[in-house]
Amino acid sequence: MFSPGIKRSNFSSRKDRKLGQTVTVADSPTTPLGDNRNSAFDTSIPNRPSTGTPAPWAPRLSVLARIPQANKNEKRDERDPIKPVFVGEFPQAVHDEYGSFLQQHARGGAFISGGMDKHTCLSWIICGSKLFIWSFLSSTASKKCFVLELPSNILENGDIKRDSCHHARWLLTVINWDSPSRGTNKVAQHCNSAGIVMCNRTTRAILYWPDIYHDAGRTPVTSCASSDELSSNSSPIDGKITPDRQQQRSKHGSGSDGLISFNSLIASAIPNTRHACIALATSCRGELWQFHCSPTGVSRNKVYQDIKSSKSRGYPKSLIWRFPYSSLEEEPKRQLFILTDHEIQCFSIKLCADFTMSQLWSHAIVGTDGDLGIQKNLAGQKQIWPLHIQVDDHGKVITVLVATFCKDRISSSSYTQYSLLTMQYKSEAEVHERVLEKKAPIQVIIPKARVEDENFLFSMRLRVGGKPSGSAIILSGDGTATVSYYRNSTRLYQFDLPYDAGKVLDASVLPPTDDGEDGAWVVLTEKAGIWAIPEKAIVLGGVEPPERSLSRKGSSNERSGQEERRNLMFEGNFAPRRASSDALDAGDRQRAIVSGVPRQTVQDEESEALLSNFFHEFLLSGKVDGVIEKLKSSGAFERDGEVNIFVRTSRSVVDALAKHWTTTRGAEILAMAVLSTQLIDKQQKHESFLQFLALSKCHEELCSGPRHSLQIILEHGEKLAAMIQLRELQSMISQNRSTIAVSQSLSSDNQISGALWDFIQLVGERARRNTVLLMDRDNAEVFYSKVSELEQVFYCLEKQLEYIISIEQPLVVQIQRACELSNACVTIVRTAMHYKVKHHLWYPPPDGLTLWYCQPIVRNGLWSIASFILHLSKEASGFGTSSNSELYSHLEALAEVLLEASSGAITAKMERGEEHKGLLDEYCSRRETLLDSLYQQVKGFVEAGYKDINVGSEEQKEENLRKLSSNLLSIAKRHEGYQTMWDICCDLNDSVLLRDLMHESMGPRGGFSYFVFTQLHMKKQFSKLLRLGEEFHEELSIFLKHHRDLLWLHEIFLNQFSSASETLHDVALCQDDDPILTDEDEMDACHENPQPTFADRRWLLNLSKIAALAGIKDTDSEIKVKRIEADLKILKLQEKVIKVLPTDETKQSIEKQLLCPEELIELCLKSGDRELALQVFDVFAWTSSTFRGNHRNLLEMCWKNAADQDHWEQLYQASITEGWSDEETLQHLRHTLLFQASNRCYGPRAETIEDGFDKVLPLRQENPEVPDLTGTGTSIEAILMHHRDFAYAGKLMLTAVMLGSQQDDVKVEQESPSPTGVIDFDASDNL
């Protein structure tokens, strides 16, 4: 059906091959009618395009992909980038049965049927009376094929055994018993337990295998339809037999076989049951059947008699779950979609013994509104057939394959249009509103194709989800597979084989690996095994759909295949959303989401070809004359990093695939013994490449220019050396296993194979899936050839460790496998480090360059296995000493390489000036965890040995501890593991070792000495700290600078009394939020002393006063003493305020907190206490003039509050009524708060620190002529003028202020002169 127009160079030789088919008229499409299709026994497929899939014995793209670029350019004509890739043969059991089956038939084209299950990665084939099931992800050597016998009574039922086409009448679905939560391993996605449900389309017979992975579950449970059910099925849907139907039934030659009853089958496990499931099947009569399958039997029940349909001929076309990966652990409910002839119906079912099903919604996709789906009744339209439905893994996007029968009004010719309708759930669907909407306009696959009968149309199947993103594959009944891909316009790619390989039975996609996106398309063929379609093949090999096929000469808008490829090669970025794994083969392999495929420019290709020619000539002759000048002129040194041509050439050397590794049989032919030789050959060639760079002076140019490129080239050498050592390690492990008898606990295949071998298989599997061109290679072959991607070892170690070491395995097996993987990781990193030391003269300046084993992907992988060993160490505490000792040695080695990698990463970030705090925190956290665990294990070994011998002294115990901890102490010294160093010194009680370590471990922040001082300070061993500090003066100074509570003692010891006084003063007045420690000392913040009490502060202030008096006598010392005394008074006032305050949250919050002066003043004002209202002026007096100036508004509030403390109106009335004399006025006013405040602030005996109050707030207003109406007075007089009683008592208020500022004592002398002359003014004059 789908035969896109492609130029065929051998068309003339092909068109003469009739193969028994009727020649069509000139204007007919290429796809023949159903009547004219090949018979069941034809062994060849006609009209295969020349650009189809190559034969399995042809050279693989996997070989061509690894050839250096120069060789590729030389053989460009021999390489076809649109060829699919052979993945694997059928299992041998299938070959044997197929050969036997062919011999039993006179004609050689006996039909077989098969399929592929995406979720379990299982493929199946029915051949003869047997069902074969195997994983299409497994390599040929490890294929495990399940052979299930079909019961003879089922085959004989209805006499269908005699029909060689009976295999196509079976529907099969797989039930994955593995829990979705356990299926997190995307790379090693292998099913461990699965059931099979099979249903015969015609006889409705049900076969159920509970679990094919266990012998007990391979006996099928059968259920046959009753005679009443079959008789009702044998009659047509509408009860009529038309000539067309009679002819249709006569084609198959039998009665009941002429009508296919079931057309779709799905199944789901029932939660909380063992090997029980519910299967659902739809029939051509609109029925929905439910089958309850269990190991004890199969029950059948008709759920719906008639699913709604618009026409009598309409019936359910397809049935599918909405969420294929849904978990049933929380709620045993699932949703399913049913596609009918005009709508999509959504049902909810409850998976339990009491099966219930209810319809949620329905959406008409065929109607008069084109926005809701497909618009009908358009000009030329005759009939619309929705054929098949698919849904994405998230249950959000629905794709429907649609065929539309049309008639051209001009030529009156009929044709069929094929298209894809894509619907999606609305983001916010309201109640009673349609839940679906069009995601994109209808995508027309083929505008005009040949008219087919309904049987052929409804045999088509749709698959979605493969690469490129958004592509879909359509499978037709005649065995063709066409990939539809939309990029600005629809492109079609037809999978076809140019030789006799049979039909395409089914298609699926490789499961997702890391980024969550599905892999490449894979197809199951009838005779040629399994093939993969690379993303490049679809993008580069796709052609525009033909407007109308013209016989077998192609479409009217056909272009040649070479022109298609040439135009697409030089277009812009073609990858949808992200780069292809194939195109990124030369770049970063961290699966980053990118917008396009990075490719070389023409200049890069020319430069690389030139470099390859020069290198090839150097290998033959050793000459390098004029190389660097020609490379400079070609721009070879302009680009840095992975795209540099020197890097690409180096990578082609280390990643080269040896010719004799080329095989279609994988590990069956691959001789693992030659791997070491091949790797050594690569190493020698890479060394030659380095010599070429040196002799041609390209090395000097790379050192001074693109340093990163030279670094990568040398890292290729590191990885190659590491891969060689890893291969030797694996060989040694294999030899050891072959000579040691395996115990009973190591009887399973997974344990016998070894952790390292399983891990190599896992990493190789991931590389094969990411690079589809290598799908026909063995996992180990791919692993050892992908040298430049050695980081992926650590990536898989982080993500897939639970697959290699299962928690369900015995603890001794877990320990053995963990140690094996740990040894491999340490071997890789140490070999790379050794290579770098050996070739240090080759390396560029390291400033700012991050080594490959310092990258996060490597560090996280190392930490993953280290964390697992830490866990095993705790679990194995009750095991023997040998197991614990083995775990300890591997953990110690892991800690060393991991800390070295982290340290190198930090250094590179610091050199580049980048933020590194997060990386430093990670480094410190992992360091403390590892070193602490290691030291605890050392102490455990010492204690265990001491108890075992039960003799000896403490000296022997200490000697054992010193011996066992020597390596750990060395690691701790290199990585500033101060806590471990301190613990070792304390447990050994070795002060000499402590002092030696303090001298050796110097640092910008005091090094180990600072840490020792901190520990002594925490233990309050101050005298020991200071005595030890006599030997480390500079380190002690750094420490005491950030520990002022101890600094004053050291200063007194040095007779620095003035400095000690200042320190004590600061410590006494320290607040909770004072920045006592700098950012560099945040690690000591948790060791700070608790907040001092008021008694402590008073004691510290008195000590500060004593120290100040003991110091040098000068003016500064007197000022210091005054300040200390003022702070003592303020502290005493706060204690008094706390006693006055009522018990509440405010009091509790300040009981132990030292308030700042302004807070204390505000608290006094809020208290409403008369005495505290007066003492606020003392606080101002005890502070500085700067404080008074900065808080002038607060000082004005204090004066206003003082004026409010007395009843001036009553005083004024009493003075008028009683007629006070001047002496009586003075006696009454001296008891007012204004008088007392004025006396304390402005009186002859007023004491203040620095300048007086008059500098901030004078008594008199400077310009009495200008009234102050703002409320913020410039003097005491101006403040009082705004008082509410000033209008009639203003004279008394001003008199109180003036008298208080003049009185030498608050006690008035009898002979004191009348103050009348002093206050000779009328208050009313200033209003």
Side-chain angles (χ1 to χ4, degrees), residues 469-535:
S469 178
S471 62
I473 193 167
I474 299 96
L475 305 168
S476 62
D478 65 344
T480 60
T482 305
V483 182
S484 172
Y485 167 55
Y486 185 83
R487 182 183 64 87
N488 298 328
S489 62
T490 300
R491 314 284 296 184
L492 296 182
Y493 174 87
Q494 184 178 17
F495 175 88
D496 216 342
L497 301 175
Y499 57 93
D500 183 17
K503 299 179 179 180
V504 174
L505 300 179
D506 202 354
S508 183
V509 296
L510 295 175
T513 52
D514 311 316
D515 52 15
E517 293 189 6
D518 287 321
W521 289 106
V522 288
V523 295
L524 174 66
T525 64
E526 187 180 17
K527 301 178 183 179
I530 298 175
W531 294 73
I533 308 176
E535 184 178 1

Side-chain angles (χ1 to χ4, degrees), residues 1 24 146 554 556 783 815 877 896 1020 1044 1049 1110 1132 1174:
M1 181 198 72
T24 58
F146 301 101
S556 59
F783 173 82
I815 293 175
S877 57
E896 186 175 6
K1020 300 189 180 300
R1044 293 176 294 177
L1049 190 60
K1132 183 178 180 180
L1174 177 61

Side-chain angles (χ1 to χ4, degrees), residues 1026-1184:
L1026 294 176
R1027 284 196 303 269
L1028 189 61
E1030 296 176 9
E1031 189 176 345
F1032 304 92
H1033 298 287
E1034 184 177 352
E1035 289 76 12
L1036 182 63
S1037 300
I1038 297 174
F1039 175 79
L1040 294 178
K1041 187 184 299 182
H1042 306 295
H1043 294 78
R1044 293 176 294 177
D1045 57 337
L1046 196 59
L1047 177 60
W1048 64 271
L1049 190 60
H1050 182 63
E1051 291 171 338
I1052 289 178
F1053 174 77
L1054 299 177
N1055 295 326
Q1056 299 174 357
F1057 297 108
S1058 298
S1059 299
S1061 176
E1062 293 180 359
T1063 303
L1064 284 165
H1065 198 177
D1066 293 339
V1067 174
L1069 301 180
C1070 69
Q1071 301 281 6
D1072 289 338
D1073 54 351
D1074 278 353
I1076 297 178
L1077 298 180
T1078 62
D1079 293 339
E1080 295 179 351
D1081 304 283
E1082 289 179 355
M1083 59 181 180
D1084 299 325
C1086 58
H1087 305 321
E1088 281 301 299
N1089 287 333
Q1091 190 70 15
T1093 63
F1094 290 127
D1096 296 334
R1097 296 181 187 275
R1098 194 162 48 247
W1099 179 73
L1100 291 170
L1101 287 172
N1102 287 326
L1103 283 178
S1104 177
K1105 181 178 179 181
I1106 294 172
L1109 294 174
I1112 301 175
K1113 300 295 187 294
D1114 54 10
T1115 306
D1116 292 339
S1117 63
E1118 294 178 0
I1119 296 176
K1120 290 179 182 178
V1121 171
K1122 288 183 178 180
R1123 291 187 180 276
I1124 295 171
E1125 291 175 345
D1127 288 331
L1128 280 168
K1129 294 176 182 179
I1130 294 176
L1131 182 62
K1132 183 178 180 180
L1133 176 60
Q1134 180 172 344
E1135 293 181 276
K1136 182 178 180 180
V1137 171
I1138 292 176
K1139 293 178 181 179
V1140 174
L1141 291 177
T1143 302
D1144 56 7
E1145 295 181 358
T1146 304
K1147 182 176 181 178
Q1148 293 177 358
S1149 63
I1150 65 174
E1151 279 183 335
K1152 296 182 179 180
Q1153 179 183 357
L1154 181 66
L1155 299 177
C1156 56
E1158 61 269 24
E1159 293 176 341
L1160 182 59
I1161 292 171
E1162 292 175 355
L1163 195 61
C1164 291
L1165 295 178
K1166 293 178 181 179
S1167 67
D1169 186 81
R1170 182 180 177 86
E1171 183 177 357
L1172 295 180
L1174 177 61
Q1175 289 186 331
V1176 295
F1177 296 100
D1178 292 334
V1179 178
F1180 276 106
W1182 297 332
T1183 55
S1184 63

Side-chain angles (χ1 to χ4, degrees), residues 62-63 66 655-659 661-662 682 774 777 781 785:
S62 57
V63 179
R66 313 307 290 272
D655 286 353
L657 186 66
K659 293 181 179 180
W661 284 3
T662 303
K682 288 185 181 182
L774 299 174
R777 302 293 161 203
E781 176 185 352
S785 65

